[in-house]
């Protein structure tokens, strides 16, 4: 068979259920993953699925495909993505595949894959497609067993996290799969937990489970402003990203959360490398240096960040999107539920958690903005601009992932998304005037190369 080229993304596999992602296609992908794992001397793969309606059927197809390669499957059932990663360590399989559509609309689903400790991305994901196209499979007959990983996962976190005092918090899971576990986890730490939209429902009837979109945090903000909770957490659909809201309704974006996490980690790991992605605040580098750490800016993408962590031995990494990776005291994978527990541990040392969060360095900034284009156009345009664009008054032009242009009073970023045909933009500055000036320069550079582009600013 031939698998649709467009579902094989940079960091994972993602498609529309019943169209580009069918049980037959997922079974073939499973066979390809199993074949890849067999060549790396793997014997068993853990699998799980999130709360999407298509999850159980696609997980069954995935299991059939993996078993065709002779590998055994441990089916974890309905779990958050980080629980699959945890199971790969805890059950000593080294490999795990999660059936998840992450933050995509309900009609989507996909796969996030770890084989022999490597999070598959880029060329390795394309190699799976080549296996399917060329019928290049290992054959065998594996078995399937089931396992409830939740008790061990919660116990492992509860044994590691020590709160100075119990906190009152509200969790908003947007009907995503974290709703099945977040309340139990934070109660196991001794907290009082109010739950919003924690019934797992793949229709997402209340709001979409994506805490990077401010609109999706309205219910949580209202709850904090009117209720008794001291802090609010929101999760994405599969639980690998964390959103944070203060008692006074302020959103603490993930790059600001990382400031607090870095300070905490560096107390125990002096001189540690801390990685952050190109979308993150420019406040991170001086903050990390002042606390004795080594700041390192890197490409956006959870699998790319994990690879860089492995290469550098970094103790902590974070992305603007909300993925945070703790290697100190944890395993180095992105886990929104665990990040929340680490944040509670820090905040429990203070009488007023919101004051601590609101006092973190801040700048005038935009959320992530997008220029919609046709397939292939974003990468083409950014390559062209990397070669030819001039930015007057810039201190530095960083090209590790798109174009991040640093000025004395701010930065502008444009990079091609690796998951959808858009150019991602972000701007930050010391004041509104500087922000506007940087945006105007980006506007003229982009429109000179692509006059038809519809800019969001």
């Amino acid at each position: 068979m031939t698998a649709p080229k467009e579902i094989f993304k940079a960091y994972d596999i993602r498609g529309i259920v019943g169209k580009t992602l069918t049980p037959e296609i997922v079974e073939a992908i499973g066979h390809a993953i199993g074949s890849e794992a067999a060549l790396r001397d793997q014997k068993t793969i853990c699998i799980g699925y999130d709360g999407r309606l298509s999850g159980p059927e696609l997980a069954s197809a995935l299991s059939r495909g993996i078993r065709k390669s002779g590998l055994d499957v441990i089916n974890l059932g309905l779990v958050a993505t980080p629980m699959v990663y945890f199971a790969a360590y805890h059950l000593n399989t080294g490999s795990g595949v999660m059936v998840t559509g992450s933050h995509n609309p309900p009609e989507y689903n996909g796969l996030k894959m770890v084989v022999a400790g490597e999070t598959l991305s880029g060329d390795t994901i394309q190699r799976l497609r080549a296996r399917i196209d060329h019928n290049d499979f290992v054959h065998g007959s594996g078995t399937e067993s089931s396992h409830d990983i939740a008790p061990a996962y919660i116990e492992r976190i509860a044994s590691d996290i020590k709160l100075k005092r119990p906190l009152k918090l509200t969790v908003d899971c947007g009907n995503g799969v974290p709703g099945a576990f977040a309340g139990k986890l934070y109660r196991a730490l001794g907290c009082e937990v109010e739950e919003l939209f924690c019934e797992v429902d793949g229709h997402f009837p209340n709001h979409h489970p994506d805490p990077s979109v401010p609109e999706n945090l309205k219910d949580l903000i209202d709850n904090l402003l009117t209720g008794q909770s001291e802090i609010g957490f929101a999760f994405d659909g599969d639980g690998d990203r964390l959103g944070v809201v203060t008692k006074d309704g302020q959103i603490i974006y993930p790059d600001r959360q990382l400031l607090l996490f870095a300070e905490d980690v560096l107390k125990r790991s002096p001189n540690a490398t801390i990685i952050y992605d190109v979308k993150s605040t420019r406040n991170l580098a001086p903050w990390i240096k002042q606390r004795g750490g080594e700041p390192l800016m890197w490409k956006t993408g959870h699998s790319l960040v994990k690879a860089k962590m492995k290469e550098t031995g970094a103790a902590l990494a974070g992305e603007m999107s909300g993925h945070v990776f703790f290697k100190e005291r944890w395993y180095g994978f992105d886990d929104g539920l665990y990040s929340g527990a680490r944040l509670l541990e820090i905040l429990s040392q203070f009488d007023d958690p919101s004051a601590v969060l609101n006092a973190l360095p801040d700048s005038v900034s935009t959320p992530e903005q997008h220029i919609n284009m046709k397939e292939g156009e974003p990468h083409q345009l950014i390559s062209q601009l990397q070669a030819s664009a001039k930015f007057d008054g810039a201190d530095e032009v960083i090209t590790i992932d798109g174009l991040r242009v640093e000025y004395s009073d701010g930065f502008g970023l444009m990079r091609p998304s690796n998951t959808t045909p858009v150019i991602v933009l972000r701007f930050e500055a010391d004041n509104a005037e500087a922000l506007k000036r940087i945006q105007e320069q980006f506007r003229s550079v982009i429109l000179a190369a692509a006059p038809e582009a519809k800019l969001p600013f």
Side-chain angles (χ1 to χ4, degrees), residues 250-257 259 281-284 287 320 356-366 409 426-431:
Q250 301 299 311
I251 298 169
I252 306 298
Y253 285 103
D255 54 350
R256 285 181 78 205
Q257 296 168 30
L259 293 164
T281 175
R282 62 206 286 267
N283 293 322
L284 273 161
W287 175 276
M320 182 62 201
V356 174
L357 291 166
N358 288 329
L360 292 167
D362 202 7
S363 302
V364 179
S365 65
T366 66
D409 54 0
R426 185 151 196 260
F427 300 94
E428 179 181 281
D430 293 344
N431 52 59

Side-chain angles (χ1 to χ4, degrees), residues 214-276:
E215 180 76 20
N216 296 331
L217 298 174
K218 277 186 172 174
D219 294 304
L220 184 57
I221 289 168
D222 288 346
N223 176 279
L224 266 294
L225 291 172
T226 58
Q228 299 303 308
S229 289
E230 302 171 78
I231 190 80
F233 290 167
F235 300 96
D236 68 337
D238 66 330
D240 56 12
R241 295 192 290 132
L242 171 70
V244 176
V245 170
T246 63
K247 176 71 185 154
D248 55 337
Q250 301 299 311
I251 298 169
I252 306 298
Y253 285 103
D255 54 350
R256 285 181 78 205
Q257 296 168 30
L258 194 60
L259 293 164
L260 210 52
F261 290 140
E263 183 172 60
D264 180 59
V265 166
L266 287 167
K267 285 173 185 169
R268 291 179 298 277
S269 305
N271 309 314
T273 297
I274 313 284
I275 297 172
Y276 54 94

